[in-house]
Amino acid sequence: TQLLEQSPQFLSIQEGENLTVYCNSSSVFSSLQWYRQEPGEGPVLLVTVVTGGEVKKLKRLTFQFGDARKDSSLHITAAQPGDTGLYLCAGPDNYGQNFVFGPGTRLSVLP
Amino acid sequence: DAGVIQSPRHEVTEMGQEVTLRCKPISGHNSLFWYRQTMMRGLELLIYFNNNVPIDDSGMPEDRFSAKMPNASFSTLKIQPSEPRDSAVYFCASSLAPGSPPITEAFFGQGTRLTVV
C-alpha cells in the first residue's frame, strides 16, 4: 500500500518568516503533486513534480522532488497571510487510476 | 468550463433521513472520485469511478453509503439512513486517469458540508 506522510501536521508562523513542509513515502512515485486548500473550498493544484531532483518555483514557493522520487518538500519564502491553508501532497497510485493523498500540513500565517 | 459542480453546498438533516449529494464532473474527464474530509481523519477516498464504472469502493464506510454514476456527466452519493457521525465535508473530484501521460491533476468541487443532527 502506498502511503504519503506529511510533516509538520500544524504550523503557525508570523508574516515574513520562511518555512518548509515535507512529504515522505517509503514507495517510489512517478510524480508528486502539491495542492492548497483554503477554508470552505476544495483543494487546488499548485504544482506537479515529475523528475527526481526536480526543483520548481512558483513565485515565493519552491518545490523539490527527491532524487529517489520518494519525497518532496515545499519551501515558502516570506510567508504572507494569504498563504494560510491546508497543504496536501498527492501522487498517482501504482495502477495509475487513483490518487494517494497525504494527511496535509495546516499552515497559519499571522499578520 | 465551470469546473466540478457539487450540490447542495450545505445540507442539514435529521438522523435517519436519506441524503443525496450530487456531482457534475468536468466534461471530458474519465475518472471521478468521492472524498470525505474531517479534521480528525483528513481527506478519505470513499469510491472512485473510471469511465462510469466503480473501480474501488473499499473506502465506503458501510452499507448505508452508496454511489452511482449513470453517465459521464453525473454522479450521486447517497447515505441512507444518515447518522451524526456522517457529518463532514464531502468532495467530488474529476480527472483524466491519473497515470496517463501527460500527468493530470484532480479537480475538486467546492464540497458539500453535511450536518446530521
Side-chain angles (χ1 to χ4, degrees):
Chain A
T1 301
Q2 294 171 285
L3 292 175
L4 287 168
E5 298 177 340
Q6 292 189 244
S7 61
Q9 188 177 359
F10 298 97
L11 186 58
S12 182
I13 61 171
Q14 293 293 133
E15 181 177 2
E17 293 183 3
N18 302 331
L19 67 113
T20 303
V21 298
Y22 301 93
C23 173
N24 297 286
S25 177
S26 59
S27 305
V28 174
F29 280 84
S30 59
S31 65
L32 280 179
Q33 300 175 331
W34 286 92
Y35 292 78
R36 179 170 64 206
Q37 183 180 14
E38 298 182 6
E41 301 293 330
V44 176
L45 181 71
L46 295 174
V47 77
T48 300
V49 285
V50 179
T51 305
E54 180 178 8
V55 176
K56 281 192 173 180
K57 292 193 174 185
L58 184 65
K59 296 183 181 178
R60 295 176 293 99
L61 279 60
T62 302
F63 304 85
Q64 185 162 8
F65 200 11
D67 291 340
R69 291 185 287 131
K70 292 182 178 182
D71 57 270
S72 181
S73 63
L74 160 58
H75 181 80
I76 301 178
T77 302
Q80 299 178 359
D83 297 325
T84 293
L86 178 67
Y87 289 81
L88 296 160
C89 68
D93 70 3
N94 287 331
Y95 304 100
Q97 290 190 318
N98 187 18
F99 294 93
V100 177
F101 275 88
T105 292
R106 195 168 296 277
L107 172 66
S108 177
V109 182
L110 305 174
Chain B
D1 200 318
V4 175
I5 300 173
Q6 291 187 247
S7 63
R9 287 294 311 276
H10 302 274
E11 177 80 36
V12 180
T13 190
E14 291 185 346
M15 182 174 61
Q17 295 298 306
E18 177 180 294
V19 175
T20 299
L21 311 182
R22 296 173 175 79
C23 175
K24 176 178 168 54
I26 292 174
S27 176
H29 282 184
N30 60 356
S31 294
L32 184 139
F33 309 84
W34 281 102
Y35 293 93
R36 178 172 66 177
Q37 188 176 44
T38 61
M39 285 295 292
M40 290 294 294
R41 301 174 67 92
L43 195 65
E44 301 176 276
L45 177 68
L46 300 176
I47 184 172
Y48 73 95
F49 296 83
N50 194 28
N51 293 321
N52 310 338
V53 176
I55 301 300
D56 183 357
D57 65 354
S58 60
M60 297 285 260
E62 47 198 272
D63 292 345
R64 298 184 298 106
F65 286 68
S66 62
K68 293 182 180 180
M69 192 166 186
N71 57 63
S73 60
F74 184 66
S75 178
T76 60
L77 177 67
K78 186 176 294 186
I79 308 173
Q80 166 63 19
S82 58
E83 297 182 3
R85 60 190 167 126
D86 301 330
S87 297
V89 181
Y90 291 80
F91 286 102
C92 174
S94 72
S95 176
L96 293 172
S100 300
I103 301 300
T104 59
E105 66 179 281
F107 290 81
F108 284 80
Q110 291 187 296
T112 295
R113 181 173 295 276
L114 174 65
T115 303
V116 184
V117 297

